Amino acid sequence: MWKRIPVEKALNVLTTALSGPPALAFAPAISLAAFWMGGERALVTVALTLPLLLAAFSALATTPGDQTVPSGLIPLDSFAAGMEGFFRSTATTRDDSACLIVALDGYIEFEDLHGNAATAHVVDQFRSRMLSVIRAHDIAARLDEDKIVVGLNPSKHLDLEACIQMSGRIQATIEEPVVLNGTGIYLSCSIGFSLLSSIRNDGFEAWIDAASAALDEAQRNGPSTIRAYSSETRRRSRIRANLRREFDSALDSGEIRPWFQPQISTDTGRVTGFEALARWEHPQKGVLSPHVFLPFAEQAGLMERFGQTMRHHAFAAMRQWDNAGIVVPRIGVNFSSDELRDPALIDRLKWELDQNDLTPDRLAVEVLETVFSRRPDDVITRNVTSLSKLGCCIDLDDFGTGHASIASIKRFDVSRIKIDRSFVAKADRDASQQQLVSAILTMAERLNVETLAEGVETPGEHALMAQLGCNHVQGFGIGKPMPFENTFDWITAHQNKLNGVPKIGRKAGP
């Protein structure tokens, strides 16, 4: 039996048919029929009016609500409406749906290395490949330049295994090489997803949040990872959310402050500086190290404020050491990428140094090696260069784990290379480790750059670093990170040890 079709729906069908490419196939037939029935005058009339009619129908077929963003992705408000529709349609059925969020791995690093044009090309490839994988009745929208959210159309066969299989297909498609300037670039993506059945009791608004929490876990577990939202994910997500809130208030209350680890000269044994290492003295959880709380600071956009807090305490410590007549030539402070991206960093730092009556040469700006692989016109690069010109010591941190070139070391006027602990550990017992350290020290000597070995834990490692010509050492074998108030006793005890202790000599020869 035929069903009655509403007039509005019929008009929509007619409009769509007459505005699409199939309508053009009938244009020659219409023109021939007009000529056969009315002669040349009818043919001319049809030839003039037919394009106008097709254009009018095409305009009617495109309404503001149907417009999409580039690459065929629908606007976020339309996506939200579609997901709410999925939520409601499955309320009385046994169908299930899912929300997936797909994020390119290493997006910021790629942009820094290759520039905006190359990144735009890669993002276009990412979006087109995503759209080629999802099904016709699924929906997708752009969450960010490097993130796409996908809603899977409800189905009785949609379950955890099906979502994992689809995520695997997405990853396989994204990981196909992208040709960039004649070279194949390999990408990867992390995926977090949430089945609707996992959050139905929490309401529609929690659905995308659940997928986002799953994505956070995937990204924390390394590139090219897939994670599903679960009750355990919910528990960990709530813990992280609570820690983020606590972190914000801890900055105000003084619970987050630097602990200080000493650095000493291999020539004299005397203190040449301290590194300020962040610690959270949590009233219930005890002392927390940076790898626990810094991810929350980054996600909450609090890294600049965190950096200012660390510098405030570090500079105050320098002032108190000076007032006590204790010689601490330099304080090392880690600068995050977020801080180094701040165009106002140099002016703020000058003010902070002036307020504490410190000269720039007493600050060692510790920068990760990965920063030195960025483009020369990057804000980070300009700030590091300006800090060097200001007179600050530039410490290249964790050397050997990144991609810094010799040219970069010279361009940024690096003052000191900090050899990563992975090279130092057991170097006194491992000939290959010793050769690596020796090569780094030889390079630094040729570049006239000072060196500091991190992670020195044994007298053997200390002695070897001195014999190979490393200028400074730091590690548990010298002194563990300690609260500021404990540094006075440590310095006194260390100076007492120097009396009567033989100097660790360097290897003779050229």
Side-chain angles (χ1 to χ4, degrees):
M1 182 176 179
W2 293 98
K3 293 183 179 180
R4 184 178 178 184
I5 301 176
V7 174
E8 182 180 357
K9 185 173 182 180
L11 288 174
N12 286 338
V13 171
L14 178 62
T15 301
T16 302
L18 291 177
S19 63
L24 299 177
F26 292 97
I30 295 172
S31 300
L32 288 173
F35 178 73
W36 182 68
M37 295 177 64
E40 291 183 2
R41 180 173 296 178
L43 177 61
V44 171
T45 302
V46 168
L48 292 174
T49 57
L50 186 60
L52 297 175
L53 288 172
L54 292 176
F57 277 113
S58 179
L60 288 172
T62 305
T63 63
D66 296 326
Q67 292 175 358
T68 61
V69 297
S71 302
L73 304 173
I74 66 175
L76 273 175
D77 54 352
S78 300
F79 179 85
M83 294 296 282
E84 188 172 9
F86 290 169
F87 188 88
R88 291 177 178 174
S89 68
T90 58
T92 56
T93 68
R94 302 179 64 180
D95 295 352
D96 206 349
S97 181
C99 177
L100 293 84
I101 302 180
V102 184
L104 277 175
D105 295 323
Y107 172 79
I108 294 176
E109 290 78 6
F110 184 91
E111 186 176 35
D112 288 332
L113 283 171
H114 299 283
N116 295 331
T119 304
H121 173 68
V122 166
V123 167
D124 285 342
Q125 292 293 311
F126 169 57
R127 293 174 185 169
S128 63
R129 290 180 182 187
M130 279 293 305
L131 291 170
S132 72
V133 176
I134 64 175
R135 303 167 302 179
H137 297 293
D138 298 333
I139 57 176
R142 188 188 76 184
L143 273 183
D144 209 337
E145 288 297 315
D146 60 331
K147 290 181 184 176
I148 289 177
V149 58
V150 179
L152 301 185
N153 193 59
S155 169
K156 288 182 174 61
H157 307 292
L158 190 61
D159 56 13
L160 180 65
E161 184 179 353
C163 289
I164 293 174
Q165 289 177 352
M166 183 168 190
S167 297
R169 289 197 299 272
I170 291 173
Q171 286 188 331
T173 303
I174 298 302
E175 289 171 4
E176 289 291 322
V178 175
V179 178
L180 185 63
N181 298 325
T183 304
I185 301 294
Y186 289 87
L187 309 174
S188 66
C189 63
S190 296
I191 302 174
F193 68 85
S194 172
L195 284 162
L196 176 55
S197 55
S198 300
I199 58 92
R200 185 174 292 284
N201 295 332
D202 295 333
F204 159 72
E205 293 79 7
W207 197 2
I208 297 178
D209 290 340
S212 181
L215 176 65
D216 286 343
E217 288 211 346
Q219 291 176 317
R220 274 194 299 273
N221 284 274
S224 195
T225 304
I226 301 169
R227 285 292 183 271
Y229 184 76
S230 64
S231 58
E232 185 62 19
T233 309
R234 178 185 306 148
R235 185 186 70 82
R236 289 193 292 262
S237 179
R238 287 174 179 171
I239 290 174
R240 288 192 295 272
N242 290 335
L243 276 174
R244 277 195 292 269
R245 288 192 293 270
E246 289 181 25
F247 181 86
D248 194 9
S249 62
L251 288 173
D252 292 328
S253 64
E255 292 175 9
I256 296 175
R257 60 171 181 155
W259 283 23
F260 299 91
Q261 187 171 33
Q263 302 163 341
I264 66 173
S265 166
T266 55
D267 272 342
T268 65
R270 297 192 179 280
V271 174
T272 56
F274 279 87
E275 180 179 3
L277 299 167
R279 294 293 184 270
W280 183 353
E281 298 171 0
H282 197 284
Q284 284 82 40
K285 299 181 177 66
V287 179
L288 304 179
S289 59
H291 76 272
V292 175
F293 58 83
L294 282 189
F296 310 133
E298 292 173 354
Q299 293 171 10
L302 294 171
M303 288 303 292
E304 289 185 39
R305 186 177 165 208
F306 165 71
Q308 291 175 29
T309 299
M310 288 292 292
R311 291 197 300 274
H312 168 75
H313 288 295
F315 293 164
M318 289 288 280
R319 191 172 62 248
Q320 291 185 59
W321 285 324
D322 289 347
N323 293 338
I326 296 174
V327 178
V328 178
R330 189 180 292 162
I331 187 78
V333 180
N334 292 275
F335 280 65
S336 69
S337 295
D338 287 346
E339 291 178 89
L340 292 171
R341 285 194 185 96
D342 180 10
L345 173 64
I346 304 301
D347 290 336
R348 183 182 297 113
L349 186 61
K350 286 179 181 177
W351 183 85
E352 291 170 352
L353 289 168
D354 287 342
Q355 288 292 106
N356 290 277
D357 196 24
L358 297 173
T359 54
D361 61 293
R362 299 190 68 189
L363 171 64
V365 177
E366 303 209 2
V367 184
L368 288 174
E369 187 179 357
T370 49
V371 169
F372 289 84
S373 61
R374 300 179 187 274
R375 291 175 288 135
D377 61 340
D378 189 29
V379 175
I380 293 179
T381 303
R382 292 197 297 270
N383 272 339
V384 173
T385 304
S386 298
L387 287 168
S388 177
K389 292 178 179 177
L390 184 63
C392 298
C393 172
I394 306 298
D395 276 5
L396 182 53
D397 204 5
D398 295 345
F399 183 79
T401 62
H403 308 282
S405 65
I406 294 176
S408 297
I409 294 173
K410 297 304 291 182
R411 185 175 78 243
F412 289 104
D413 197 18
V414 170
S415 309
R416 183 167 60 182
I417 291 172
K418 298 188 72 176
I419 304 170
D420 187 69
R421 67 188 65 189
S422 61
F423 295 98
V424 176
K426 301 179 181 178
D428 57 326
R429 289 174 285 164
D430 188 329
S432 60
Q433 288 281 85
Q434 184 174 333
Q435 289 172 352
L436 285 172
V437 173
S438 180
I440 293 172
L441 292 172
T442 301
M443 179 201 70
E445 185 179 4
R446 297 290 187 270
L447 294 174
N448 196 28
V449 174
E450 286 193 353
T451 50
L452 182 150
E454 297 181 288
V456 173
E457 297 189 355
T458 67
E461 291 169 357
H462 186 179
L464 177 66
M465 293 302 112
Q467 290 167 4
L468 292 178
C470 187
N471 304 112
H472 311 267
V473 287
Q474 171 184 349
F476 281 16
I478 312 302
K480 295 182 179 180
M482 64 194 82
F484 169 73
E485 52 270 19
N486 294 359
T487 60
F488 294 95
D489 289 339
W490 184 91
I491 292 171
T492 300
H494 180 72
Q495 288 174 340
N496 291 336
K497 280 184 186 179
L498 293 180
N499 298 327
V501 176
K503 185 189 300 183
I504 300 176
R506 297 191 177 182
K507 184 170 59 179

